[in-house]
Each structure stands twice: as C-alpha cells, then as structure tokens.
Amino acid sequence: MDVTYDFSAKNFIVIGASSGMGRQVAEELAGAGARVLAVARREELLRQMQEKYPTQISTAIVDVTVAGELEPVLTEFVAEFGKLHGAVYTAGVEGLTPLRAFSEETARTIMETSFWGAVKVMQLVNQRRFSVDGCSNVLFSSISAYTGASSMFAYSAAKAAVQAAVRSIAKEICRSGKRINTVSPGWVSTEMTHRAAQEAAEDMIGIVEERCLLGLGKPADVSGFVLFLLSERARWITGKDFIVDGGYLWGDG
Ligand SMILES: NC(=O)c1ccc[n+]([C@@H]2O[C@H](COP(=O)([O-])OP(=O)(O)OC[C@H]3O[C@@H](n4cnc5c(N)ncnc54)[C@H](OP(=O)(O)O)[C@@H]3O)[C@@H](O)[C@H]2O)c1
C-alpha cells in the first residue's frame, strides 16, 4: 500500500514554492488537505498554483534576501488561518564560484539565499505567536555539503552551514517540542539543474546519470520524505540531515 498523509486542519509555509521541489511539496501538502502559504518572488508561477488549489494555497511575493518582507505576510496568514504546524525552506540559487575567479557578489547571494535566508525564516517562524508547539521545520541542504561540488565552494559551504545550524537550532527549539531537520537531495531535474547544465562545460546530466544508481531524480522523489518529516510519524526526529540522492554518493561512475 502506498503512503498517504492527512494534513487537514494544518498550516504550513513553503519558502521557494514557485518551482522545483518547493512547488512539489506545496502542492502535495495542499492535496493532502493542508492550508499552505506559498512564498517566492515569481508572481505568475505562484498565481498558477493558487488557481490550481484555490481553497488550500495562499501566496505571497517575498524575496528572502530582503529584510522584513516575510513578517507582515506571515502575520496576516496566521491571523486568518491559525498558527503554523510546519515550515519548509527550499529557497536556493546555484552559481559557479571557482576560487581562482569568483564573483564576491555571486558568492554572497548564494550564502544570503541558502543560509542567512533560512536562519532568518527559522527565527521568525519559530516564535510562539507564529507556530504551534511541535512545529516541524525542514530545510533544504544538498549532497554538495558532502561532496564539495567542483567550482562551487559558496554553494557547498552554504549547504553545509545549514546542516550545522540545524543541529544547533534543534537544541533551542526542542523545549516546545519543535523539530528541525535538513534534507540533502542528490541531482533532481528542476529549473536549477537545467540552468547548471547549461553553464557546465561537459555533458553534466550524462555524467550524473551514469553515477546515480537510480538515475536523475524528479521533485516527487524527494517530496515524500519531506512530508514524512512534517508529519506526526516523525515526531521523535530532530537535528538530523537525510540524504535522498538515488544512490549518487555511492555511485562510482
Ligand atoms: N535540483 C537539485 O538537483 C538540487 C540538489 C540538491 C539541493 N537542491 C536544493 O533544493 C532546493 C530547491 O531547488 P530546486 O532544484 O527545486 O530549484 P528551483 O526550481 O530553482 O527552485 C528554487 C526556488 O527558490 C526560490 N528562490 C530563489 N531565490 C529566492 C529568494 N531570494 N527569495 C525567495 N525565493 C527564492 C525560487 O523562486 P523565485 O525565483 O520565484 O523566487 C524557487 O521557487 C534549493 O535550495 C537547492 O539548492 C537542489
């Protein structure tokens, strides 16, 4: 029998919900009855989601690198629907930062989006006025935190920093039964991967597919684990990273 979840009467925020894995998670949560606040910068993509799930999905245009944009939106959502039962942070940007010639601006944007954005959202969401005791937080890290992706020190460092921060934050928020974990996907076919493949010199997707025991992933290959972490069935799990990579780390090409 397949695994299904019932998230009716529960509220979630998904940051980075306009595409890829964030969108998949937001739509699956809505499909499982949750009320979802879907957040990102691209209005048109968010509007399409809202039209697909008009009673379940609310949307907000927020740039996580701009201070103060999320709080009024969250205040309004919680006033209308109640406190959050979980938060998923998938916002991230890729970019090459070879040590010999990297743009500091690119490196800072990667860090601001994947690391500082995540920390600031966690600080806000885990306030008592915004989330229930037992709230579950899931942040997106990456296998790059383990492999150190070539010419991507900023991305790899940001994703490793998220994991380390989560281990620390878990100790603070456990007092109210709140949990926080990271998921580290392997190579998943999304807008981000397609952009990265265009930048790469060689046939990156071909190399990845060869190394990935179960092939290139789809967003739905990762979202199931995220829903599990958000659910009550994961209530004893916190401060951990979970690799969901189709066997990439053990594939030797
Ligand atoms: N795809 C992979 O193979 C892979 C592997 C390991 C880890 N990851 C990580 O998984 C997460 C999701 O990636 P994905 O592959 O699903 O990529 P994606 O389709 O490019 O999605 C990234 C999301 O982040 C949002 N975002 C980016 N910058 C933002 C900002 N400043 N403010 C608000 N939202 C922002 C984007 O929305 P807007 O552009 O509309 O703002 C988009 O919804 C990322 O953290 C990524 O690093 C991906």
Side-chain angles (χ1 to χ4, degrees), residues 16-22 39-42 62-65 90-93 113-114 140-143 155 159 185-188 190-193 195:
S18 60
S19 64
M21 291 181 269
V39 173
R41 295 167 301 178
R42 285 172 294 173
V62 170
D63 183 335
V64 294
T65 65
T90 72
V93 285
T113 312
S114 269
F140 272 56
S141 179
S142 166
I143 50 160
Y155 184 82
K159 295 302 188 183
W187 288 91
V188 178
T190 64
E191 287 183 16
M192 181 178 284
T193 332
R195 281 192 305 266

PDB file of all heavy atoms in Angstrom, residues 16-22 39-42 62-65 90-93 113-114 140-143 155 159 185-188 190-193 195, ligand 1:
ATOM      1  N   GLY A  16      10.165  29.262  -1.326  1.00  0.00           N
ATOM      2  CA  GLY A  16      10.775  28.728  -2.549  1.00  0.00           C
ATOM      3  C   GLY A  16       9.780  27.811  -3.231  1.00  0.00           C
ATOM      4  O   GLY A  16      10.131  26.746  -3.739  1.00  0.00           O
ATOM      5  N   ALA A  17       8.498  28.256  -3.228  1.00  0.00           N
ATOM      6  CA  ALA A  17       7.405  27.376  -3.660  1.00  0.00           C
ATOM      7  C   ALA A  17       7.050  27.519  -5.131  1.00  0.00           C
ATOM      8  O   ALA A  17       6.179  26.805  -5.625  1.00  0.00           O
ATOM      9  CB  ALA A  17       6.165  27.651  -2.806  1.00  0.00           C
ATOM     10  N   SER A  18       7.699  28.426  -5.847  1.00  0.00           N
ATOM     11  CA  SER A  18       7.249  28.699  -7.221  1.00  0.00           C
ATOM     12  C   SER A  18       7.698  27.640  -8.224  1.00  0.00           C
ATOM     13  O   SER A  18       7.127  27.529  -9.300  1.00  0.00           O
ATOM     14  CB  SER A  18       7.734  30.085  -7.668  1.00  0.00           C
ATOM     15  OG  SER A  18       9.144  30.136  -7.638  1.00  0.00           O
ATOM     16  N   SER A  19       8.725  26.866  -7.896  1.00  0.00           N
ATOM     17  CA  SER A  19       9.186  25.848  -8.856  1.00  0.00           C
ATOM     18  C   SER A  19       9.866  24.690  -8.133  1.00  0.00           C
ATOM     19  O   SER A  19      10.078  24.742  -6.918  1.00  0.00           O
ATOM     20  CB  SER A  19      10.143  26.471  -9.888  1.00  0.00           C
ATOM     21  OG  SER A  19      11.306  26.939  -9.251  1.00  0.00           O
ATOM     22  N   GLY A  20      10.205  23.680  -8.920  1.00  0.00           N
ATOM     23  CA  GLY A  20      11.017  22.571  -8.420  1.00  0.00           C
ATOM     24  C   GLY A  20      10.448  21.858  -7.209  1.00  0.00           C
ATOM     25  O   GLY A  20       9.246  21.593  -7.113  1.00  0.00           O
ATOM     26  N   MET A  21      11.340  21.531  -6.278  1.00  0.00           N
ATOM     27  CA  MET A  21      10.939  20.705  -5.136  1.00  0.00           C
ATOM     28  C   MET A  21      10.018  21.443  -4.174  1.00  0.00           C
ATOM     29  O   MET A  21       9.139  20.839  -3.558  1.00  0.00           O
ATOM     30  CB  MET A  21      12.192  20.179  -4.435  1.00  0.00           C
ATOM     31  CG  MET A  21      12.917  19.153  -5.304  1.00  0.00           C
ATOM     32  SD  MET A  21      14.386  18.463  -4.572  1.00  0.00           S
ATOM     33  CE  MET A  21      15.633  19.599  -5.158  1.00  0.00           C
ATOM     34  N   GLY A  22      10.216  22.758  -4.039  1.00  0.00           N
ATOM     35  CA  GLY A  22       9.332  23.544  -3.169  1.00  0.00           C
ATOM     36  C   GLY A  22       7.905  23.514  -3.690  1.00  0.00           C
ATOM     37  O   GLY A  22       6.949  23.348  -2.931  1.00  0.00           O
ATOM     38  N   VAL A  39       5.472  30.824  -0.851  1.00  0.00           N
ATOM     39  CA  VAL A  39       6.245  32.062  -0.918  1.00  0.00           C
ATOM     40  C   VAL A  39       7.387  31.940  -1.925  1.00  0.00           C
ATOM     41  O   VAL A  39       8.083  30.926  -1.959  1.00  0.00           O
ATOM     42  CB  VAL A  39       6.829  32.365   0.493  1.00  0.00           C
ATOM     43  CG1 VAL A  39       7.776  33.552   0.445  1.00  0.00           C
ATOM     44  CG2 VAL A  39       5.720  32.602   1.496  1.00  0.00           C
ATOM     45  N   ALA A  40       7.554  32.963  -2.731  1.00  0.00           N
ATOM     46  CA  ALA A  40       8.699  33.066  -3.653  1.00  0.00           C
ATOM     47  C   ALA A  40       8.638  34.450  -4.291  1.00  0.00           C
ATOM     48  O   ALA A  40       7.820  35.295  -3.878  1.00  0.00           O
ATOM     49  CB  ALA A  40       8.661  31.968  -4.709  1.00  0.00           C
ATOM     50  N   ARG A  41       9.472  34.677  -5.333  1.00  0.00           N
ATOM     51  CA  ARG A  41       9.471  36.007  -5.964  1.00  0.00           C
ATOM     52  C   ARG A  41       8.631  36.064  -7.232  1.00  0.00           C
ATOM     53  O   ARG A  41       8.137  37.107  -7.591  1.00  0.00           O
ATOM     54  CB  ARG A  41      10.915  36.419  -6.313  1.00  0.00           C
ATOM     55  CG  ARG A  41      11.810  36.604  -5.100  1.00  0.00           C
ATOM     56  CD  ARG A  41      13.263  36.692  -5.510  1.00  0.00           C
ATOM     57  NE  ARG A  41      13.666  35.480  -6.221  1.00  0.00           N
ATOM     58  CZ  ARG A  41      14.871  35.264  -6.737  1.00  0.00           C
ATOM     59  NH1 ARG A  41      15.802  36.184  -6.593  1.00  0.00           N
ATOM     60  NH2 ARG A  41      15.155  34.139  -7.366  1.00  0.00           N
ATOM     61  N   ARG A  42       8.465  34.934  -7.935  1.00  0.00           N
ATOM     62  CA  ARG A  42       7.794  34.997  -9.245  1.00  0.00           C
ATOM     63  C   ARG A  42       6.278  34.870  -9.130  1.00  0.00           C
ATOM     64  O   ARG A  42       5.742  33.789  -8.896  1.00  0.00           O
ATOM     65  CB  ARG A  42       8.372  33.913 -10.173  1.00  0.00           C
ATOM     66  CG  ARG A  42       9.756  34.301 -10.695  1.00  0.00           C
ATOM     67  CD  ARG A  42      10.396  33.172 -11.431  1.00  0.00           C
ATOM     68  NE  ARG A  42      10.709  32.048 -10.566  1.00  0.00           N
ATOM     69  CZ  ARG A  42      11.156  30.874 -10.991  1.00  0.00           C
ATOM     70  NH1 ARG A  42      11.327  30.664 -12.264  1.00  0.00           N
ATOM     71  NH2 ARG A  42      11.428  29.923 -10.130  1.00  0.00           N
ATOM     72  N   VAL A  62       7.747  37.259  -1.835  1.00  0.00           N
ATOM     73  CA  VAL A  62       8.752  37.628  -0.829  1.00  0.00           C
ATOM     74  C   VAL A  62      10.127  37.277  -1.372  1.00  0.00           C
ATOM     75  O   VAL A  62      10.329  36.187  -1.912  1.00  0.00           O
ATOM     76  CB  VAL A  62       8.520  36.857   0.500  1.00  0.00           C
ATOM     77  CG1 VAL A  62       9.675  37.048   1.458  1.00  0.00           C
ATOM     78  CG2 VAL A  62       7.217  37.284   1.158  1.00  0.00           C
ATOM     79  N   ASP A  63      11.055  38.213  -1.226  1.00  0.00           N
ATOM     80  CA  ASP A  63      12.462  37.927  -1.521  1.00  0.00           C
ATOM     81  C   ASP A  63      13.144  37.704  -0.176  1.00  0.00           C
ATOM     82  O   ASP A  63      13.207  38.631   0.651  1.00  0.00           O
ATOM     83  CB  ASP A  63      13.080  39.128  -2.262  1.00  0.00           C
ATOM     84  CG  ASP A  63      14.521  38.866  -2.672  1.00  0.00           C
ATOM     85  OD1 ASP A  63      15.194  38.035  -2.029  1.00  0.00           O
ATOM     86  OD2 ASP A  63      14.985  39.514  -3.630  1.00  0.00           O
ATOM     87  N   VAL A  64      13.643  36.490   0.047  1.00  0.00           N
ATOM     88  CA  VAL A  64      14.197  36.175   1.372  1.00  0.00           C
ATOM     89  C   VAL A  64      15.488  36.939   1.676  1.00  0.00           C
ATOM     90  O   VAL A  64      15.939  36.960   2.812  1.00  0.00           O
ATOM     91  CB  VAL A  64      14.459  34.655   1.541  1.00  0.00           C
ATOM     92  CG1 VAL A  64      13.166  33.878   1.525  1.00  0.00           C
ATOM     93  CG2 VAL A  64      15.441  34.127   0.501  1.00  0.00           C
ATOM     94  N   THR A  65      16.069  37.549   0.657  1.00  0.00           N
ATOM     95  CA  THR A  65      17.298  38.313   0.909  1.00  0.00           C
ATOM     96  C   THR A  65      16.984  39.765   1.311  1.00  0.00           C
ATOM     97  O   THR A  65      17.891  40.529   1.608  1.00  0.00           O
ATOM     98  CB  THR A  65      18.232  38.319  -0.324  1.00  0.00           C
ATOM     99  OG1 THR A  65      17.582  39.014  -1.398  1.00  0.00           O
ATOM    100  CG2 THR A  65      18.586  36.914  -0.765  1.00  0.00           C
ATOM    101  N   THR A  90      13.012  25.885   0.927  1.00  0.00           N
ATOM    102  CA  THR A  90      13.731  25.332  -0.229  1.00  0.00           C
ATOM    103  C   THR A  90      14.432  26.418  -1.046  1.00  0.00           C
ATOM    104  O   THR A  90      15.098  26.106  -2.030  1.00  0.00           O
ATOM    105  CB  THR A  90      12.787  24.563  -1.190  1.00  0.00           C
ATOM    106  OG1 THR A  90      11.971  25.506  -1.878  1.00  0.00           O
ATOM    107  CG2 THR A  90      11.913  23.585  -0.474  1.00  0.00           C
ATOM    108  N   ALA A  91      14.252  27.679  -0.679  1.00  0.00           N
ATOM    109  CA  ALA A  91      14.835  28.760  -1.497  1.00  0.00           C
ATOM    110  C   ALA A  91      16.343  28.571  -1.624  1.00  0.00           C
ATOM    111  O   ALA A  91      17.045  28.343  -0.636  1.00  0.00           O
ATOM    112  CB  ALA A  91      14.518  30.119  -0.881  1.00  0.00           C
ATOM    113  N   GLY A  92      16.801  28.639  -2.843  1.00  0.00           N
ATOM    114  CA  GLY A  92      18.238  28.473  -3.078  1.00  0.00           C
ATOM    115  C   GLY A  92      18.572  28.909  -4.487  1.00  0.00           C
ATOM    116  O   GLY A  92      17.711  28.892  -5.372  1.00  0.00           O
ATOM    117  N   VAL A  93      19.800  29.346  -4.689  1.00  0.00           N
ATOM    118  CA  VAL A  93      20.282  29.661  -6.045  1.00  0.00           C
ATOM    119  C   VAL A  93      21.643  28.997  -6.235  1.00  0.00           C
ATOM    120  O   VAL A  93      22.429  28.879  -5.290  1.00  0.00           O
ATOM    121  CB  VAL A  93      20.413  31.187  -6.278  1.00  0.00           C
ATOM    122  CG1 VAL A  93      19.054  31.822  -6.470  1.00  0.00           C
ATOM    123  CG2 VAL A  93      21.172  31.867  -5.150  1.00  0.00           C
ATOM    124  N   THR A 113      20.883  33.540   0.296  1.00  0.00           N
ATOM    125  CA  THR A 113      19.641  32.835  -0.038  1.00  0.00           C
ATOM    126  C   THR A 113      19.545  31.506   0.704  1.00  0.00           C
ATOM    127  O   THR A 113      18.554  31.231   1.384  1.00  0.00           O
ATOM    128  CB  THR A 113      19.547  32.590  -1.562  1.00  0.00           C
ATOM    129  OG1 THR A 113      19.848  33.800  -2.249  1.00  0.00           O
ATOM    130  CG2 THR A 113      18.168  32.108  -1.957  1.00  0.00           C
ATOM    131  N   SER A 114      20.599  30.676   0.595  1.00  0.00           N
ATOM    132  CA  SER A 114      20.510  29.326   1.168  1.00  0.00           C
ATOM    133  C   SER A 114      20.739  29.312   2.678  1.00  0.00           C
ATOM    134  O   SER A 114      20.114  28.531   3.384  1.00  0.00           O
ATOM    135  CB  SER A 114      21.544  28.405   0.527  1.00  0.00           C
ATOM    136  OG  SER A 114      20.987  27.768  -0.580  1.00  0.00           O
ATOM    137  N   PHE A 140      16.285  22.745   3.117  1.00  0.00           N
ATOM    138  CA  PHE A 140      16.971  22.032   2.042  1.00  0.00           C
ATOM    139  C   PHE A 140      18.466  22.294   2.067  1.00  0.00           C
ATOM    140  O   PHE A 140      18.924  23.415   1.902  1.00  0.00           O
ATOM    141  CB  PHE A 140      16.374  22.393   0.676  1.00  0.00           C
ATOM    142  CG  PHE A 140      15.216  21.507   0.298  1.00  0.00           C
ATOM    143  CD1 PHE A 140      14.124  21.386   1.143  1.00  0.00           C
ATOM    144  CD2 PHE A 140      15.233  20.768  -0.866  1.00  0.00           C
ATOM    145  CE1 PHE A 140      13.061  20.543   0.829  1.00  0.00           C
ATOM    146  CE2 PHE A 140      14.178  19.933  -1.201  1.00  0.00           C
ATOM    147  CZ  PHE A 140      13.086  19.822  -0.358  1.00  0.00           C
ATOM    148  N   SER A 141      19.222  21.208   2.271  1.00  0.00           N
ATOM    149  CA  SER A 141      20.673  21.253   2.124  1.00  0.00           C
ATOM    150  C   SER A 141      20.972  20.602   0.775  1.00  0.00           C
ATOM    151  O   SER A 141      20.178  20.715  -0.171  1.00  0.00           O
ATOM    152  CB  SER A 141      21.337  20.514   3.290  1.00  0.00           C
ATOM    153  OG  SER A 141      22.738  20.520   3.150  1.00  0.00           O
ATOM    154  N   SER A 142      22.071  19.892   0.646  1.00  0.00           N
ATOM    155  CA  SER A 142      22.426  19.285  -0.648  1.00  0.00           C
ATOM    156  C   SER A 142      23.543  18.272  -0.437  1.00  0.00           C
ATOM    157  O   SER A 142      24.346  18.411   0.497  1.00  0.00           O
ATOM    158  CB  SER A 142      22.922  20.379  -1.603  1.00  0.00           C
ATOM    159  OG  SER A 142      23.553  19.806  -2.722  1.00  0.00           O
ATOM    160  N   ILE A 143      23.656  17.334  -1.358  1.00  0.00           N
ATOM    161  CA  ILE A 143      24.809  16.429  -1.298  1.00  0.00           C
ATOM    162  C   ILE A 143      26.114  17.199  -1.539  1.00  0.00           C
ATOM    163  O   ILE A 143      27.182  16.722  -1.187  1.00  0.00           O
ATOM    164  CB  ILE A 143      24.699  15.252  -2.296  1.00  0.00           C
ATOM    165  CG1 ILE A 143      24.356  15.761  -3.694  1.00  0.00           C
ATOM    166  CG2 ILE A 143      23.754  14.187  -1.809  1.00  0.00           C
ATOM    167  CD1 ILE A 143      24.695  14.784  -4.788  1.00  0.00           C
ATOM    168  N   TYR A 155      28.239  27.556  -2.761  1.00  0.00           N
ATOM    169  CA  TYR A 155      27.037  26.719  -2.667  1.00  0.00           C
ATOM    170  C   TYR A 155      27.271  25.578  -1.674  1.00  0.00           C
ATOM    171  O   TYR A 155      26.445  25.322  -0.788  1.00  0.00           O
ATOM    172  CB  TYR A 155      26.701  26.164  -4.057  1.00  0.00           C
ATOM    173  CG  TYR A 155      25.423  25.367  -4.116  1.00  0.00           C
ATOM    174  CD1 TYR A 155      24.191  25.994  -4.236  1.00  0.00           C
ATOM    175  CD2 TYR A 155      25.445  23.976  -4.060  1.00  0.00           C
ATOM    176  CE1 TYR A 155      23.013  25.262  -4.294  1.00  0.00           C
ATOM    177  CE2 TYR A 155      24.275  23.234  -4.120  1.00  0.00           C
ATOM    178  CZ  TYR A 155      23.067  23.876  -4.243  1.00  0.00           C
ATOM    179  OH  TYR A 155      21.903  23.138  -4.288  1.00  0.00           O
ATOM    180  N   LYS A 159      25.342  25.137   2.003  1.00  0.00           N
ATOM    181  CA  LYS A 159      24.532  23.955   2.315  1.00  0.00           C
ATOM    182  C   LYS A 159      25.076  23.209   3.540  1.00  0.00           C
ATOM    183  O   LYS A 159      24.312  22.629   4.311  1.00  0.00           O
ATOM    184  CB  LYS A 159      24.484  23.023   1.103  1.00  0.00           C
ATOM    185  CG  LYS A 159      23.764  23.618  -0.102  1.00  0.00           C
ATOM    186  CD  LYS A 159      22.343  24.003   0.247  1.00  0.00           C
ATOM    187  CE  LYS A 159      21.531  24.422  -0.962  1.00  0.00           C
ATOM    188  NZ  LYS A 159      20.167  24.862  -0.596  1.00  0.00           N
ATOM    189  N   PRO A 185      19.115  16.614  -1.073  1.00  0.00           N
ATOM    190  CA  PRO A 185      18.845  15.898  -2.316  1.00  0.00           C
ATOM    191  C   PRO A 185      20.118  15.682  -3.126  1.00  0.00           C
ATOM    192  O   PRO A 185      21.075  16.448  -3.017  1.00  0.00           O
ATOM    193  CB  PRO A 185      17.897  16.839  -3.077  1.00  0.00           C
ATOM    194  CG  PRO A 185      17.455  17.876  -2.110  1.00  0.00           C
ATOM    195  CD  PRO A 185      18.559  17.973  -1.092  1.00  0.00           C
ATOM    196  N   GLY A 186      20.072  14.630  -3.951  1.00  0.00           N
ATOM    197  CA  GLY A 186      21.090  14.464  -4.987  1.00  0.00           C
ATOM    198  C   GLY A 186      20.639  15.245  -6.204  1.00  0.00           C
ATOM    199  O   GLY A 186      19.980  16.276  -6.063  1.00  0.00           O
ATOM    200  N   TRP A 187      20.941  14.766  -7.390  1.00  0.00           N
ATOM    201  CA  TRP A 187      20.600  15.508  -8.619  1.00  0.00           C
ATOM    202  C   TRP A 187      19.153  15.284  -8.998  1.00  0.00           C
ATOM    203  O   TRP A 187      18.759  14.174  -9.350  1.00  0.00           O
ATOM    204  CB  TRP A 187      21.522  15.084  -9.756  1.00  0.00           C
ATOM    205  CG  TRP A 187      22.897  15.611  -9.558  1.00  0.00           C
ATOM    206  CD1 TRP A 187      23.933  15.002  -8.910  1.00  0.00           C
ATOM    207  CD2 TRP A 187      23.401  16.875  -9.995  1.00  0.00           C
ATOM    208  NE1 TRP A 187      25.044  15.800  -8.907  1.00  0.00           N
ATOM    209  CE2 TRP A 187      24.750  16.958  -9.572  1.00  0.00           C
ATOM    210  CE3 TRP A 187      22.852  17.954 -10.702  1.00  0.00           C
ATOM    211  CZ2 TRP A 187      25.551  18.065  -9.833  1.00  0.00           C
ATOM    212  CZ3 TRP A 187      23.637  19.056 -10.961  1.00  0.00           C
ATOM    213  CH2 TRP A 187      24.970  19.101 -10.525  1.00  0.00           C
ATOM    214  N   VAL A 188      18.386  16.351  -8.949  1.00  0.00           N
ATOM    215  CA  VAL A 188      16.964  16.288  -9.252  1.00  0.00           C
ATOM    216  C   VAL A 188      16.680  17.217 -10.429  1.00  0.00           C
ATOM    217  O   VAL A 188      17.203  18.339 -10.479  1.00  0.00           O
ATOM    218  CB  VAL A 188      16.143  16.738  -8.019  1.00  0.00           C
ATOM    219  CG1 VAL A 188      14.650  16.722  -8.328  1.00  0.00           C
ATOM    220  CG2 VAL A 188      16.460  15.855  -6.816  1.00  0.00           C
ATOM    221  N   THR A 190      15.187  19.906 -12.145  1.00  0.00           N
ATOM    222  CA  THR A 190      14.399  21.122 -11.857  1.00  0.00           C
ATOM    223  C   THR A 190      14.990  22.263 -12.684  1.00  0.00           C
ATOM    224  O   THR A 190      16.004  22.086 -13.359  1.00  0.00           O
ATOM    225  CB  THR A 190      14.507  21.520 -10.365  1.00  0.00           C
ATOM    226  OG1 THR A 190      15.864  21.867 -10.095  1.00  0.00           O
ATOM    227  CG2 THR A 190      14.054  20.424  -9.423  1.00  0.00           C
ATOM    228  N   GLU A 191      14.409  23.432 -12.535  1.00  0.00           N
ATOM    229  CA  GLU A 191      14.946  24.608 -13.238  1.00  0.00           C
ATOM    230  C   GLU A 191      16.412  24.824 -12.863  1.00  0.00           C
ATOM    231  O   GLU A 191      17.243  25.185 -13.687  1.00  0.00           O
ATOM    232  CB  GLU A 191      14.155  25.858 -12.848  1.00  0.00           C
ATOM    233  CG  GLU A 191      12.783  25.914 -13.444  1.00  0.00           C
ATOM    234  CD  GLU A 191      12.061  27.211 -13.086  1.00  0.00           C
ATOM    235  OE1 GLU A 191      12.715  28.171 -12.646  1.00  0.00           O
ATOM    236  OE2 GLU A 191      10.835  27.247 -13.255  1.00  0.00           O
ATOM    237  N   MET A 192      16.723  24.601 -11.577  1.00  0.00           N
ATOM    238  CA  MET A 192      18.093  24.835 -11.114  1.00  0.00           C
ATOM    239  C   MET A 192      19.092  23.918 -11.828  1.00  0.00           C
ATOM    240  O   MET A 192      20.137  24.343 -12.303  1.00  0.00           O
ATOM    241  CB  MET A 192      18.184  24.601  -9.592  1.00  0.00           C
ATOM    242  CG  MET A 192      19.564  24.837  -9.037  1.00  0.00           C
ATOM    243  SD  MET A 192      19.662  24.609  -7.254  1.00  0.00           S
ATOM    244  CE  MET A 192      18.908  26.102  -6.662  1.00  0.00           C
ATOM    245  N   THR A 193      18.732  22.633 -11.935  1.00  0.00           N
ATOM    246  CA  THR A 193      19.637  21.677 -12.591  1.00  0.00           C
ATOM    247  C   THR A 193      19.810  22.025 -14.068  1.00  0.00           C
ATOM    248  O   THR A 193      20.896  21.912 -14.610  1.00  0.00           O
ATOM    249  CB  THR A 193      19.065  20.248 -12.512  1.00  0.00           C
ATOM    250  OG1 THR A 193      18.254  20.146 -11.369  1.00  0.00           O
ATOM    251  CG2 THR A 193      20.132  19.202 -12.481  1.00  0.00           C
ATOM    252  N   ARG A 195      19.581  24.980 -15.437  1.00  0.00           N
ATOM    253  CA  ARG A 195      20.456  26.162 -15.569  1.00  0.00           C
ATOM    254  C   ARG A 195      21.913  25.747 -15.370  1.00  0.00           C
ATOM    255  O   ARG A 195      22.799  26.139 -16.123  1.00  0.00           O
ATOM    256  CB  ARG A 195      20.081  27.227 -14.527  1.00  0.00           C
ATOM    257  CG  ARG A 195      18.870  28.071 -14.876  1.00  0.00           C
ATOM    258  CD  ARG A 195      18.773  29.266 -13.944  1.00  0.00           C
ATOM    259  NE  ARG A 195      18.757  28.904 -12.541  1.00  0.00           N
ATOM    260  CZ  ARG A 195      17.654  28.717 -11.811  1.00  0.00           C
ATOM    261  NH1 ARG A 195      16.463  28.893 -12.346  1.00  0.00           N
ATOM    262  NH2 ARG A 195      17.730  28.378 -10.532  1.00  0.00           N
TER     263      ARG A 195
HETATM  264  N1  LIG B   1      17.854  20.302  -8.087  1.00  0.00           N
HETATM  265  C1  LIG B   1      18.836  19.688  -7.490  1.00  0.00           C
HETATM  266  O1  LIG B   1      19.473  18.789  -8.080  1.00  0.00           O
HETATM  267  C2  LIG B   1      19.207  20.022  -6.061  1.00  0.00           C
HETATM  268  C3  LIG B   1      20.110  19.195  -5.405  1.00  0.00           C
HETATM  269  C4  LIG B   1      20.436  19.446  -4.086  1.00  0.00           C
HETATM  270  C5  LIG B   1      19.861  20.514  -3.433  1.00  0.00           C
HETATM  271  N2  LIG B   1      18.985  21.335  -4.077  1.00  0.00           N
HETATM  272  C6  LIG B   1      18.389  22.433  -3.319  1.00  0.00           C
HETATM  273  O2  LIG B   1      16.986  22.234  -3.250  1.00  0.00           O
HETATM  274  C7  LIG B   1      16.319  23.494  -3.161  1.00  0.00           C
HETATM  275  C8  LIG B   1      15.252  23.582  -4.242  1.00  0.00           C
HETATM  276  O3  LIG B   1      15.904  23.590  -5.514  1.00  0.00           O
HETATM  277  P1  LIG B   1      15.204  23.238  -6.884  1.00  0.00           P
HETATM  278  O4  LIG B   1      16.110  22.327  -7.583  1.00  0.00           O
HETATM  279  O5  LIG B   1      13.785  22.848  -6.647  1.00  0.00           O
HETATM  280  O6  LIG B   1      15.349  24.643  -7.635  1.00  0.00           O
HETATM  281  P2  LIG B   1      14.373  25.690  -8.284  1.00  0.00           P
HETATM  282  O7  LIG B   1      13.317  25.031  -9.097  1.00  0.00           O
HETATM  283  O8  LIG B   1      15.268  26.681  -8.923  1.00  0.00           O
HETATM  284  O9  LIG B   1      13.652  26.336  -7.014  1.00  0.00           O
HETATM  285  C9  LIG B   1      14.270  27.268  -6.188  1.00  0.00           C
HETATM  286  C10 LIG B   1      13.186  28.065  -5.500  1.00  0.00           C
HETATM  287  O10 LIG B   1      13.824  29.046  -4.664  1.00  0.00           O
HETATM  288  C11 LIG B   1      13.145  30.274  -4.846  1.00  0.00           C
HETATM  289  N3  LIG B   1      14.041  31.380  -4.544  1.00  0.00           N
HETATM  290  C12 LIG B   1      15.298  31.581  -5.007  1.00  0.00           C
HETATM  291  N4  LIG B   1      15.779  32.730  -4.527  1.00  0.00           N
HETATM  292  C13 LIG B   1      14.809  33.279  -3.751  1.00  0.00           C
HETATM  293  C14 LIG B   1      14.702  34.474  -2.994  1.00  0.00           C
HETATM  294  N5  LIG B   1      15.692  35.358  -2.952  1.00  0.00           N
HETATM  295  N6  LIG B   1      13.549  34.710  -2.303  1.00  0.00           N
HETATM  296  C15 LIG B   1      12.523  33.832  -2.361  1.00  0.00           C
HETATM  297  N7  LIG B   1      12.573  32.673  -3.047  1.00  0.00           N
HETATM  298  C16 LIG B   1      13.690  32.419  -3.740  1.00  0.00           C
HETATM  299  C17 LIG B   1      12.717  30.250  -6.319  1.00  0.00           C
HETATM  300  O11 LIG B   1      11.610  31.090  -6.543  1.00  0.00           O
HETATM  301  P3  LIG B   1      11.639  32.534  -7.259  1.00  0.00           P
HETATM  302  O12 LIG B   1      12.706  32.502  -8.307  1.00  0.00           O
HETATM  303  O13 LIG B   1      10.249  32.646  -7.792  1.00  0.00           O
HETATM  304  O14 LIG B   1      11.908  33.498  -6.156  1.00  0.00           O
HETATM  305  C18 LIG B   1      12.281  28.798  -6.462  1.00  0.00           C
HETATM  306  O15 LIG B   1      10.941  28.659  -6.056  1.00  0.00           O
HETATM  307  C19 LIG B   1      17.403  24.560  -3.294  1.00  0.00           C
HETATM  308  O16 LIG B   1      17.758  25.011  -2.015  1.00  0.00           O
HETATM  309  C20 LIG B   1      18.568  23.806  -3.920  1.00  0.00           C
HETATM  310  O17 LIG B   1      19.808  24.382  -3.592  1.00  0.00           O
HETATM  311  C21 LIG B   1      18.641  21.110  -5.389  1.00  0.00           C
END
